[in-house]
Amino acid sequence: IAHGQTGVDIEWIRPASVSVRHWWFGPPVYRDAITKESVDFEMNRRDASVTIVGKYLAVEVALADYRIAVRTAGGRVMFTEARGPERNPRTIVLRQLLDEGEAIYGMDIAPPSRESASLRGARAENAFPFFFSSKGYGRYFVSERRKASVDVGQGIVNRLDVTLPSGADQEQYVYLGPAPKEIFEEHMSAAGGDSLVGPASLLVLGAQNLPPKAVTLPVDLKLCDLSAGVNQASLSARLF
């Protein structure tokens, strides 16, 4: 989807994972597919937007500024961006609206309150750019530094801002769970070696945040070990 030298590419990685790649100076050099899975999709165009619908996910792109809205194929809204990407020579900023009561986890930063594992109200300068939501989706922002500045509803209560180093393009992966285990598996498949996170991201797995019969694990595991070892029902019962 393009106009002049700016545009956005949508690539289905797997039925429950999609890549969204914004670019500013002409189309980027296209790479091989991230995975070899074939995903059927259909595209619907209206005056102001284009919607691409796959097996489990639908991505709507606003033609005015290339902001995206992601929902399930059945129509349930996962998230909506407040506006399109804001780029200058130093940074790219993406702004997402948050629902009332929506909890955000991950980013390898500690939650602002000991009362909850959610990151609502947190702000950090060196966050790992991967998070997942109590609404059952995850987002990963591709960055060579694997760091981002984030504001999770501190500056504006119901908005999440992610600031990344500037470049000619910016790619993100969006995953549908709905359970955290499934989001981790989608992330590992799409991002591979970039999927490593630190202990703070996994505080959600602490005994205080899980049901009494949950399987407890060390918090310094790679996500591949995590997704292989966590019982899905145990992890999802408390969060979602």
Coordinates of all heavy atoms in Angstrom, one line a residue, residues 25-92:
F25 N 11.3 6.1 2.0 CA 12.1 6.5 0.9 C 12.0 5.5 -0.2 O 13.1 5.1 -0.8 CB 13.5 6.8 1.3 CG 13.6 7.8 2.4 CD1 13.8 7.4 3.7 CD2 13.5 9.2 2.2 CE1 13.9 8.3 4.8 CE2 13.6 10.1 3.2 CZ 13.8 9.7 4.5
G26 N 10.9 5.1 -0.6 CA 10.7 4.1 -1.6 C 10.7 2.7 -1.0 O 11.1 2.5 0.2
P27 N 10.2 1.7 -1.7 CA 10.0 0.4 -1.2 C 11.4 -0.2 -0.7 O 12.4 0.0 -1.4 CB 9.5 -0.5 -2.3 CG 8.8 0.6 -3.2 CD 9.7 1.8 -3.1
P28 N 11.5 -0.9 0.4 CA 12.7 -1.5 0.8 C 13.0 -2.7 0.0 O 12.2 -3.2 -0.8 CB 12.4 -2.0 2.3 CG 10.9 -2.2 2.3 CD 10.4 -1.2 1.3
V29 N 14.3 -3.2 0.1 CA 14.7 -4.4 -0.6 C 13.9 -5.6 0.0 O 13.9 -5.8 1.2 CB 16.2 -4.6 -0.5 CG1 16.6 -6.0 -1.1 CG2 17.0 -3.5 -1.2
Y30 N 13.2 -6.3 -0.8 CA 12.4 -7.4 -0.3 C 13.3 -8.6 0.0 O 14.2 -9.0 -0.7 CB 11.3 -7.7 -1.3 CG 10.3 -6.6 -1.3 CD1 10.3 -5.7 -2.4 CD2 9.4 -6.4 -0.3 CE1 9.3 -4.7 -2.5 CE2 8.5 -5.4 -0.3 CZ 8.4 -4.5 -1.4 OH 7.6 -3.5 -1.5
R31 N 13.0 -9.2 1.1 CA 13.7 -10.4 1.6 C 12.9 -11.6 1.3 O 11.7 -11.6 0.9 CB 13.9 -10.2 3.1 CG 12.6 -9.9 3.8 CD 12.6 -10.4 5.2 NE 11.2 -10.3 5.7 CZ 10.7 -9.3 6.5 NH1 11.6 -8.5 7.0 NH2 9.5 -9.3 6.9
D32 N 13.5 -12.8 1.6 CA 12.8 -14.0 1.6 C 11.7 -14.0 2.7 O 11.8 -13.3 3.7 CB 13.7 -15.2 1.8 CG 14.7 -15.4 0.6 OD1 14.3 -14.9 -0.5 OD2 15.7 -16.0 0.8
A33 N 10.7 -14.8 2.5 CA 9.6 -14.9 3.5 C 10.2 -15.4 4.8 O 11.1 -16.2 4.9 CB 8.5 -15.9 3.0
I34 N 9.7 -14.9 5.9 CA 10.2 -15.2 7.2 C 9.9 -16.7 7.5 O 10.8 -17.4 8.1 CB 9.5 -14.4 8.3 CG1 9.8 -12.9 8.1 CG2 9.9 -14.8 9.7 CD1 9.1 -11.9 9.0
T35 N 8.8 -17.2 7.1 CA 8.5 -18.6 7.2 C 7.9 -19.1 5.9 O 7.7 -18.2 5.0 CB 7.4 -18.9 8.3 OG1 6.2 -18.4 7.9 CG2 7.8 -18.4 9.7
K36 N 7.8 -20.3 5.7 CA 7.3 -20.9 4.4 C 5.9 -21.2 4.4 O 5.4 -21.9 3.5 CB 8.2 -22.1 4.0 CG 9.7 -21.9 3.9 CD 10.0 -20.8 2.9 CE 11.5 -20.6 2.8 NZ 11.8 -19.5 1.8
E37 N 5.2 -20.8 5.5 CA 3.8 -21.2 5.6 C 2.9 -20.3 4.6 O 3.1 -19.1 4.5 CB 3.3 -21.0 7.0 CG 3.8 -21.9 8.1 CD 3.1 -21.9 9.4 OE1 1.8 -21.9 9.3 OE2 3.7 -21.8 10.4
S38 N 2.0 -21.0 4.0 CA 1.1 -20.3 3.1 C -0.1 -19.9 3.8 O -0.7 -20.7 4.5 CB 0.7 -21.2 1.9 OG -0.2 -20.6 1.0
V39 N -0.5 -18.6 3.7 CA -1.7 -18.1 4.4 C -2.6 -17.4 3.4 O -2.2 -16.5 2.7 CB -1.3 -17.0 5.5 CG1 -2.5 -16.5 6.2 CG2 -0.3 -17.7 6.5
D40 N -3.8 -17.9 3.3 CA -4.8 -17.3 2.4 C -5.3 -16.0 3.0 O -5.5 -15.9 4.2 CB -6.0 -18.3 2.2 CG -5.6 -19.5 1.4 OD1 -4.7 -19.4 0.5 OD2 -6.2 -20.6 1.6
F41 N -5.6 -15.0 2.2 CA -6.1 -13.7 2.7 C -7.0 -13.1 1.6 O -7.0 -13.5 0.4 CB -5.0 -12.8 3.1 CG -4.2 -12.3 1.9 CD1 -4.5 -11.1 1.2 CD2 -3.1 -13.0 1.4 CE1 -3.8 -10.7 0.1 CE2 -2.3 -12.6 0.3 CZ -2.7 -11.4 -0.3
E42 N -7.8 -12.1 2.0 CA -8.5 -11.3 1.1 C -8.3 -9.9 1.4 O -8.1 -9.5 2.6 CB -10.0 -11.7 1.1 CG -10.7 -11.4 2.5 CD -12.2 -11.8 2.4 OE1 -12.5 -12.9 1.8 OE2 -13.0 -11.0 2.9
M43 N -8.5 -9.0 0.4 CA -8.2 -7.6 0.6 C -9.5 -6.8 0.3 O -10.1 -7.0 -0.8 CB -7.0 -7.1 -0.2 CG -6.7 -5.6 0.1 SD -5.0 -5.2 -0.5 CE -5.3 -5.3 -2.3
N44 N -9.9 -5.9 1.2 CA -11.1 -5.1 0.9 C -10.7 -3.6 1.0 O -10.0 -3.2 2.0 CB -12.1 -5.3 2.0 CG -12.5 -6.8 2.1 OD1 -12.8 -7.4 1.0 ND2 -12.5 -7.4 3.3
R45 N -11.0 -2.9 0.0 CA -10.7 -1.4 -0.1 C -11.9 -0.6 0.0 O -12.9 -0.8 -0.7 CB -9.9 -1.1 -1.4 CG -9.5 0.3 -1.5 CD -8.4 0.6 -2.5 NE -8.0 2.0 -2.5 CZ -6.8 2.4 -2.7 NH1 -5.8 1.5 -3.0 NH2 -6.5 3.7 -2.7
R46 N -11.8 0.5 0.9 CA -12.8 1.5 1.0 C -12.1 2.8 0.6 O -11.0 2.9 0.3 CB -13.4 1.5 2.4 CG -14.1 0.2 2.8 CD -14.7 0.3 4.1 NE -15.4 -0.9 4.5 CZ -16.0 -1.1 5.7 NH1 -16.0 -0.2 6.6 NH2 -16.6 -2.2 5.9
D47 N -12.9 3.9 0.7 CA -12.4 5.2 0.3 C -11.2 5.6 1.2 O -10.2 6.2 0.7 CB -13.5 6.3 0.4 CG -14.5 6.1 -0.7 OD1 -14.2 5.4 -1.7 OD2 -15.6 6.7 -0.5
A48 N -11.3 5.3 2.5 CA -10.3 5.8 3.5 C -9.3 4.8 4.0 O -8.4 5.1 4.7 CB -11.0 6.5 4.6
S49 N -9.6 3.5 3.7 CA -8.7 2.4 4.3 C -8.7 1.2 3.4 O -9.5 1.0 2.5 CB -9.2 2.1 5.7 OG -10.5 1.5 5.6
V50 N -7.7 0.3 3.7 CA -7.6 -1.0 3.1 C -7.5 -2.0 4.2 O -6.8 -1.8 5.2 CB -6.3 -1.1 2.2 CG1 -6.2 -2.5 1.7 CG2 -6.4 -0.1 1.0
T51 N -8.3 -3.1 4.1 CA -8.3 -4.1 5.2 C -7.9 -5.4 4.5 O -8.4 -5.8 3.5 CB -9.7 -4.3 5.8 OG1 -10.1 -3.0 6.4 CG2 -9.6 -5.3 6.9
I52 N -6.9 -6.1 5.2 CA -6.4 -7.4 4.7 C -6.8 -8.4 5.8 O -6.4 -8.2 7.0 CB -4.9 -7.4 4.5 CG1 -4.5 -6.3 3.5 CG2 -4.4 -8.8 4.0 CD1 -4.0 -5.0 4.1
V53 N -7.5 -9.4 5.4 CA -8.1 -10.4 6.3 C -7.5 -11.7 6.1 O -7.6 -12.3 5.0 CB -9.6 -10.4 6.2 CG1 -10.2 -11.4 7.3 CG2 -10.3 -9.1 6.4
G54 N -6.8 -12.3 7.1 CA -6.3 -13.6 7.0 C -7.2 -14.6 7.8 O -8.3 -14.3 8.1
K55 N -6.6 -15.8 8.1 CA -7.4 -16.8 8.8 C -7.8 -16.4 10.2 O -8.9 -16.6 10.6 CB -6.5 -18.1 8.9 CG -7.3 -19.3 9.5 CD -6.5 -20.5 9.4 CE -7.2 -21.7 10.0 NZ -6.4 -23.0 9.9
Y56 N -6.9 -15.7 11.0 CA -7.2 -15.4 12.3 C -7.1 -13.9 12.6 O -7.7 -13.4 13.6 CB -6.2 -16.1 13.3 CG -6.3 -17.6 13.3 CD1 -5.1 -18.3 13.0 CD2 -7.4 -18.2 13.6 CE1 -5.2 -19.7 12.9 CE2 -7.5 -19.6 13.5 CZ -6.3 -20.3 13.2 OH -6.4 -21.7 13.2
L57 N -6.4 -13.1 11.8 CA -6.2 -11.7 12.0 C -6.6 -10.9 10.8 O -6.6 -11.3 9.7 CB -4.7 -11.4 12.3 CG -4.1 -11.8 13.6 CD1 -2.6 -11.6 13.6 CD2 -4.7 -10.9 14.7
A58 N -7.0 -9.6 11.1 CA -7.4 -8.7 10.1 C -6.6 -7.4 10.4 O -6.6 -6.9 11.6 CB -8.9 -8.4 10.0
V59 N -6.0 -6.8 9.4 CA -5.2 -5.5 9.6 C -5.8 -4.5 8.7 O -5.9 -4.6 7.5 CB -3.7 -5.7 9.2 CG1 -3.0 -4.4 9.4 CG2 -3.1 -6.8 10.1
E60 N -6.3 -3.4 9.3 CA -6.8 -2.2 8.5 C -5.8 -1.1 8.5 O -5.3 -0.7 9.6 CB -8.1 -1.7 9.2 CG -8.8 -0.6 8.4 CD -10.1 -0.1 9.0 OE1 -10.5 -0.6 10.1 OE2 -10.7 0.8 8.4
V61 N -5.5 -0.6 7.3 CA -4.5 0.5 7.2 C -5.3 1.7 6.7 O -6.0 1.7 5.7 CB -3.5 0.1 6.1 CG1 -2.5 1.2 6.0 CG2 -2.8 -1.2 6.5
A62 N -5.2 2.8 7.5 CA -5.8 4.1 7.1 C -4.9 4.7 6.0 O -3.7 4.9 6.1 CB -5.9 5.0 8.3
L63 N -5.5 5.1 4.9 CA -4.7 5.6 3.7 C -4.2 7.0 4.0 O -3.2 7.4 3.4 CB -5.6 5.6 2.5 CG -6.1 4.2 2.0 CD1 -7.0 4.3 0.8 CD2 -4.9 3.3 1.7
A64 N -4.8 7.7 4.9 CA -4.3 9.1 5.1 C -2.9 9.2 5.8 O -2.1 10.0 5.4 CB -5.3 9.9 6.0
D65 N -2.7 8.3 6.8 CA -1.4 8.4 7.5 C -0.8 7.0 7.8 O 0.2 6.9 8.5 CB -1.6 9.1 8.8 CG -2.7 8.5 9.8 OD1 -3.2 7.4 9.4 OD2 -3.0 9.0 10.8
Y66 N -1.4 5.9 7.3 CA -0.9 4.6 7.5 C -1.0 4.0 8.9 O -0.2 3.1 9.3 CB 0.5 4.4 6.9 CG 0.6 4.7 5.4 CD1 1.6 5.6 5.0 CD2 -0.3 4.2 4.5 CE1 1.7 5.9 3.6 CE2 -0.2 4.5 3.2 CZ 0.8 5.3 2.7 OH 0.9 5.6 1.4
R67 N -1.8 4.6 9.7 CA -2.0 4.0 11.0 C -2.7 2.7 10.8 O -3.4 2.5 9.8 CB -2.9 4.9 11.9 CG -4.4 4.9 11.6 CD -5.1 5.8 12.5 NE -4.9 7.2 12.2 CZ -5.4 8.2 12.9 NH1 -6.1 8.0 14.0 NH2 -5.1 9.5 12.5
I68 N -2.5 1.8 11.8 CA -3.1 0.4 11.6 C -4.1 0.2 12.8 O -4.0 0.7 13.9 CB -2.1 -0.7 11.6 CG1 -1.3 -0.8 12.9 CG2 -1.2 -0.5 10.4 CD1 -0.4 -2.1 13.0
A69 N -5.1 -0.7 12.5 CA -6.0 -1.2 13.5 C -6.0 -2.7 13.3 O -6.1 -3.2 12.1 CB -7.4 -0.6 13.4
V70 N -5.9 -3.5 14.3 CA -5.8 -4.9 14.2 C -6.9 -5.6 15.0 O -7.2 -5.2 16.1 CB -4.5 -5.5 14.7 CG1 -4.4 -7.0 14.7 CG2 -3.3 -4.9 13.9
R71 N -7.6 -6.5 14.4 CA -8.7 -7.2 15.0 C -8.6 -8.7 14.7 O -7.8 -9.1 13.8 CB -10.1 -6.6 14.6 CG -10.4 -6.8 13.1 CD -11.8 -6.3 12.8 NE -12.2 -6.7 11.5 CZ -12.0 -6.0 10.4 NH1 -11.4 -4.8 10.5 NH2 -12.4 -6.4 9.2
T72 N -9.4 -9.5 15.3 CA -9.5 -10.9 14.9 C -10.3 -11.0 13.6 O -11.0 -10.1 13.3 CB -10.1 -11.7 16.0 OG1 -11.5 -11.3 16.1 CG2 -9.4 -11.6 17.4
A73 N -10.1 -12.1 13.0 CA -10.9 -12.3 11.7 C -12.4 -12.2 12.0 O -13.2 -11.9 11.1 CB -10.5 -13.6 11.0
G74 N -12.8 -12.6 13.3 CA -14.2 -12.5 13.7 C -14.7 -11.1 14.0 O -15.9 -11.0 14.3
G75 N -13.8 -10.1 14.1 CA -14.2 -8.8 14.3 C -13.8 -8.2 15.6 O -14.1 -7.0 15.9
R76 N -13.3 -8.9 16.6 CA -12.9 -8.4 17.9 C -11.7 -7.5 17.8 O -10.7 -8.0 17.3 CB -12.7 -9.5 18.9 CG -12.5 -9.0 20.3 CD -12.6 -10.1 21.4 NE -11.6 -11.1 21.2 CZ -10.5 -11.0 22.0 NH1 -10.2 -10.0 22.8 NH2 -9.6 -12.0 21.8
V77 N -11.8 -6.3 18.2 CA -10.7 -5.3 18.1 C -9.5 -5.7 19.1 O -9.8 -5.8 20.3 CB -11.1 -3.9 18.4 CG1 -9.9 -2.9 18.3 CG2 -12.2 -3.5 17.3
M78 N -8.3 -5.8 18.6 CA -7.2 -6.1 19.4 C -6.6 -4.7 19.8 O -6.4 -4.5 21.0 CB -6.1 -6.9 18.6 CG -6.5 -8.3 18.3 SD -6.5 -9.4 19.7 CE -8.2 -9.4 20.2
F79 N -6.2 -3.9 18.9 CA -5.7 -2.5 19.2 C -5.9 -1.6 18.0 O -6.0 -2.1 16.9 CB -4.3 -2.6 19.7 CG -3.3 -2.9 18.6 CD1 -2.7 -1.9 17.8 CD2 -2.8 -4.2 18.4 CE1 -1.8 -2.3 16.8 CE2 -1.9 -4.6 17.4 CZ -1.4 -3.6 16.6
T80 N -5.8 -0.3 18.3 CA -5.9 0.7 17.3 C -4.8 1.7 17.5 O -4.6 2.2 18.7 CB -7.3 1.4 17.2 OG1 -8.3 0.4 17.0 CG2 -7.3 2.5 16.2
E81 N -4.0 2.1 16.5 CA -3.1 3.1 16.7 C -3.7 4.5 16.7 O -4.7 4.8 16.0 CB -2.0 3.1 15.6 CG -1.1 1.9 15.6 CD 0.0 1.9 14.6 OE1 -0.2 2.5 13.5 OE2 1.1 1.3 14.9
A82 N -3.2 5.4 17.6 CA -3.8 6.7 17.7 C -3.6 7.6 16.5 O -4.4 8.4 16.1 CB -3.2 7.4 18.9
R83 N -2.5 7.3 15.8 CA -2.1 8.0 14.5 C -1.1 7.2 13.8 O -0.6 6.2 14.3 CB -1.6 9.5 14.8 CG -0.4 9.5 15.6 CD -0.1 10.9 16.0 NE -1.0 11.4 17.0 CZ -0.8 12.3 17.9 NH1 0.4 12.9 18.0 NH2 -1.7 12.7 18.8
G84 N -0.7 7.6 12.6 CA 0.4 6.9 11.9 C 1.7 7.2 12.5 O 1.9 8.0 13.4
P85 N 2.7 6.4 12.0 CA 4.1 6.6 12.6 C 4.6 8.0 12.4 O 4.3 8.6 11.3 CB 4.9 5.6 11.8 CG 4.0 4.6 11.2 CD 2.7 5.4 11.0
E86 N 5.2 8.6 13.4 CA 5.8 9.9 13.3 C 7.3 9.8 13.2 O 8.0 9.3 14.2 CB 5.4 10.7 14.6 CG 3.9 10.8 14.8 CD 3.6 11.4 16.1 OE1 4.4 12.1 16.7 OE2 2.5 11.0 16.6
R87 N 7.9 10.2 12.1 CA 9.3 10.0 11.8 C 10.0 11.4 11.7 O 9.5 12.3 11.1 CB 9.5 9.2 10.5 CG 11.0 9.0 10.2 CD 11.2 8.4 8.8 NE 12.6 8.2 8.6 CZ 13.4 9.2 8.2 NH1 13.0 10.4 8.1 NH2 14.7 8.9 8.0
N88 N 11.2 11.5 12.3 CA 12.1 12.6 12.1 C 13.5 12.0 11.9 O 13.7 10.8 12.0 CB 12.0 13.6 13.2 CG 12.4 13.0 14.6 OD1 13.5 12.4 14.7 ND2 11.6 13.3 15.6
P89 N 14.5 12.8 11.7 CA 15.9 12.2 11.5 C 16.4 11.4 12.6 O 17.3 10.6 12.4 CB 16.7 13.4 11.2 CG 15.8 14.4 10.6 CD 14.5 14.2 11.4
R90 N 15.9 11.5 13.8 CA 16.4 10.8 15.0 C 15.6 9.7 15.5 O 16.1 8.7 16.0 CB 16.7 11.8 16.1 CG 17.7 12.9 15.8 CD 18.0 13.7 17.0 NE 18.5 13.0 18.1 CZ 18.8 13.4 19.3 NH1 18.5 14.7 19.6 NH2 19.3 12.7 20.3
T91 N 14.2 9.8 15.4 CA 13.4 8.9 16.0 C 12.1 8.5 15.2 O 11.8 9.3 14.3 CB 12.8 9.3 17.4 OG1 12.1 10.5 17.2 CG2 14.0 9.6 18.4
I92 N 11.5 7.4 15.5 CA 10.2 7.0 14.9 C 9.4 6.7 16.1 O 9.7 5.9 17.0 CB 10.3 5.8 14.0 CG1 11.1 6.1 12.8 CG2 8.9 5.3 13.6 CD1 11.4 4.9 11.9

